[in-house]
Amino acid sequence: SKFGYSINELMVDSLTEDIFKNTFSYYGEKSIILLEDIDSIESSKNRNNKNDTKPDTIGISGLLNSIDGVATPENIIIVATTNHIDKLDPALIRDGRFDMKIEMGYMTKEMVQDYLSNAFNDNVEISDNLRTDLTPAIIQKMVLDHNTLKEIINKITLKRK
């Protein structure tokens, strides 16, 4: 990356305690660890009440010990994503655990223009008649599905009646 950090994505719903404990030593300092869908980790209370939970998958306690325990190396940036912040264990999102919380809501016209301009290496202009349900994930999928710029603009523009 631009700042000399490696970027590493982890799918937490398939992590075991042992794998996660070794993650930081494996990637080392100057790493960005992306924890996708952190809401898939169950709190200890929920894990004890379910029979279908795999006993070796990581829980909140193991995650917390790994991300801010005494053996956690310095110079690691942890980014976590969730679609359900309301379902996260309060211990995970308390003040001081994660330094910032950023809600990725719907995109403005300017955000869509910037995204498409970067994706297509062109100065993209779009009309004000834009759909209001556009998220970065929706636009990213359109680009990754190899839609042309014209196709994307047609898909994101409201049709006039």
Side-chain angles (χ1 to χ4, degrees), residues 10 16-28 66 73:
L10 300 175
T16 65
E17 297 269 353
D18 289 336
I19 290 172
F20 199 70
K21 285 178 188 173
N22 294 317
T23 296
F24 296 112
S25 59
Y26 177 77
Y27 291 122
S66 296

Side-chain angles (χ1 to χ4, degrees), residues 1-10 20 23-25 27-36 38 63 66-68 72-81 96-102:
S1 77
K2 181 178 180 178
F3 300 103
Y5 278 70
S6 64
I7 301 173
N8 310 282
E9 179 180 9
L10 300 175
F20 199 70
T23 296
F24 296 112
S25 59
Y27 291 122
E29 291 188 5
K30 295 201 81 164
S31 293
I32 298 171
I33 309 290
L34 173 60
L35 303 174
E36 284 280 355
I38 201 165
L63 176 69
S66 296
I67 65 174
D68 68 357
T72 305
E74 298 293 319
N75 294 321
I76 291 181
I77 298 170
I78 299 173
V79 178
T81 68
R97 189 73 70 192
F98 283 92
D99 294 329
M100 294 191 319
K101 294 177 187 124
I102 302 170

Side-chain angles (χ1 to χ4, degrees), residues 28 33 35 44 64 75 78-79 96 100 103 105 119 131-132 152 157:
I33 309 290
L35 303 174
S44 300
L64 295 177
N75 294 321
I78 299 173
V79 178
M100 294 191 319
E103 181 178 346
R131 285 174 33 194
T132 58
I152 293 173
T157 303

Side-chain angles (χ1 to χ4, degrees), residues 101-112:
K101 294 177 187 124
I102 302 170
E103 181 178 346
M104 300 294 287
Y106 296 116
M107 298 177 77
T108 64
K109 173 188 169 183
E110 291 75 22
M111 293 165 74
V112 174

